[in-house]
Amino acid sequence: MDQLQAMRAFSRVVEAGSFTRAADSLSMPNATLSKLVRELETHLGVRLLQRTTRRVTVTPDGQAYYASAIRLLRDLEDIDGRFNAQGRKPRGHLRVDIGGSTARDVLIPLLPDFMARYPDIRFDLGVSDRPADLIGDNIDCVIRGGAPPSSTLVARSLGQAEMLTCASPAYLKRFGVPAYPEELANGHRLIAYLTAQHGRAMPFRFQRDAQVFELKAERYVGINESNAHTAACVAGLGLIQTFRYAAAESLAQGTLVEVLQRWRPPPFPFHVLYPQHRHVSQRLRVFIDWLVECMPPRLAASG
């Protein structure tokens, strides 16, 4: 038995909550993973996991072994990382999760620069507005807007995105151009962005000078994906509040028009998040440093 490989396999099963997800994240056949865990249990003389057809449960002995094993694995990764970083370019596989419009309009246009600097790093880019399970899905980091969650994740600021209120020319011709935010509650149709975590509608917010207020109005349409949210506005279904970078192309083409410029929403913060207790590889470290350098100007771009 390769005890180190078996420890890594067992640890991934604990973190992923299933043999199948752990095997996928390790690019290993499920049968091989199961065999490694069985051999580890035989070697230790204890049952680490209780398996049923529906789920995997960690035994008390398994919990204690995992706590010790993960410390050892992190120490080993730290040692390897310190020596491998000397005179070597970062290499390997990064798994990154990011929202739809932020991927399309911010990160992907910037990626050629990163990949030119670090040609030996490969990417799996998960694009979704839904919350990501960094531990269970073995994701290295996520890029998200809003206040960082109070959890075991480390958050580094990536700056703020300018926001605006807009509608299509056809919509404005039919319903009129609002002169004040309060008009949106009377005779206008609002397309709300629904948060993926709770399904709640993001409120329409406005700011003038130091005053910030929210509009109390019922939504006409709710959408939980950022690209579809903008597309619904272009189609004339109603007004939206969105990031300027997400609407920039449509604004330039004239398929969207900004309204209520004097009451723009407050800027929206963005962060890169990664697990607090996981070893930060050299490739993840250089990627995060690059994000901190390159993303703020792109997020804040007003054109």
Side-chain angles (χ1 to χ4, degrees):
M1 179 190 65
D2 183 332
Q3 187 172 359
L4 190 58
Q5 186 183 30
M7 289 172 66
R8 289 192 174 110
F10 164 71
S11 298
R12 281 302 303 140
V13 173
V14 174
E15 293 165 353
S18 87
F19 277 82
T20 300
R21 292 173 70 188
D24 288 343
S25 70
L26 293 170
S27 299
M28 178 184 294
N30 206 327
T32 303
L33 180 69
S34 298
K35 182 172 181 289
L36 283 168
V37 174
R38 286 197 303 271
E39 289 177 342
L40 182 62
E41 289 177 322
T42 300
H43 170 74
L44 296 172
V46 297
R47 177 62 64 89
L48 300 174
L49 301 169
Q50 292 287 355
R51 308 160 181 82
T52 69
T53 54
R54 293 189 174 183
R55 63 176 183 170
V56 174
T57 304
V58 187
T59 67
D61 284 331
Q63 291 172 347
Y65 186 78
Y66 172 77
S68 298
I70 202 67
R71 284 196 300 269
L72 177 63
L73 292 171
R74 287 181 190 132
D75 288 344
L76 182 59
E77 288 175 345
D78 285 336
I79 294 168
D80 288 347
R82 283 197 297 271
F83 284 93
N84 288 340
Q86 297 176 8
R88 287 186 57 185
K89 290 184 178 181
R91 61 189 304 118
H93 205 152
L94 273 178
R95 295 175 177 86
V96 180
D97 198 87
I98 185 171
S101 64
T102 313
R104 183 193 66 186
D105 300 310
V106 180
L107 180 62
I108 290 175
L110 292 171
L111 270 182
D113 172 71
F114 179 82
M115 301 183 89
R117 296 191 200 186
Y118 304 104
D120 295 326
I121 294 179
R122 296 172 292 114
F123 275 89
D124 276 351
L125 200 61
V127 181
S128 170
D129 290 352
R130 295 189 176 278
D133 180 359
L134 278 81
I135 301 298
D137 293 332
N138 200 28
I139 297 170
D140 292 294
C141 67
V142 299
I143 298 167
R144 287 290 186 266
S150 55
S151 66
T152 58
L153 300 179
V154 178
R156 286 189 64 181
S157 174
L158 297 177
Q160 296 182 317
E162 182 179 340
M163 296 196 69
L164 48 76
T165 308
C166 56
S168 71
Y171 173 89
L172 296 174
K173 183 178 180 180
R174 180 181 176 188
F175 292 94
V177 179
Y180 300 94
E182 292 80 5
E183 292 182 30
L184 301 188
N186 298 300
H188 278 281
R189 295 177 173 180
L190 306 185
I191 305 172
Y193 178 80
L194 305 179
T195 62
Q197 188 167 7
H198 303 294
R200 299 177 186 144
M202 293 282 290
F204 275 56
R205 305 181 73 207
F206 299 92
Q207 177 175 323
R208 189 168 187 184
D209 300 326
Q211 183 183 8
V212 177
F213 62 96
E214 294 183 359
L215 179 71
K216 304 296 182 182
E218 187 175 351
R219 66 180 181 269
Y220 180 65
V221 177
I223 298 178
N224 67 354
E225 197 279 325
S226 50
N227 288 317
H229 184 237
T230 304
C233 188
V234 172
L237 295 180
L239 294 119
I240 63 170
Q241 286 193 333
T242 190
F243 308 118
R244 179 171 287 277
Y245 65 73
E249 183 176 350
S250 297
L251 291 168
Q253 294 173 348
T255 55
L256 287 182
V257 177
E258 183 181 4
V259 299
L260 300 171
Q261 292 94 327
R262 292 186 297 168
W263 289 273
R264 283 189 179 133
F268 204 74
F270 274 77
H271 297 83
V272 56
L273 308 160
Y274 59 95
Q276 181 177 10
H277 300 299
R278 184 184 290 176
H279 168 72
V280 179
S281 65
Q282 186 190 14
R283 58 185 175 274
L284 178 57
R285 185 176 294 110
V286 298
F287 179 65
I288 291 173
D289 289 343
W290 174 82
L291 288 173
V292 171
E293 171 194 347
C294 296
M295 270 194 72
R298 185 89 185 187
L299 284 170
S302 59

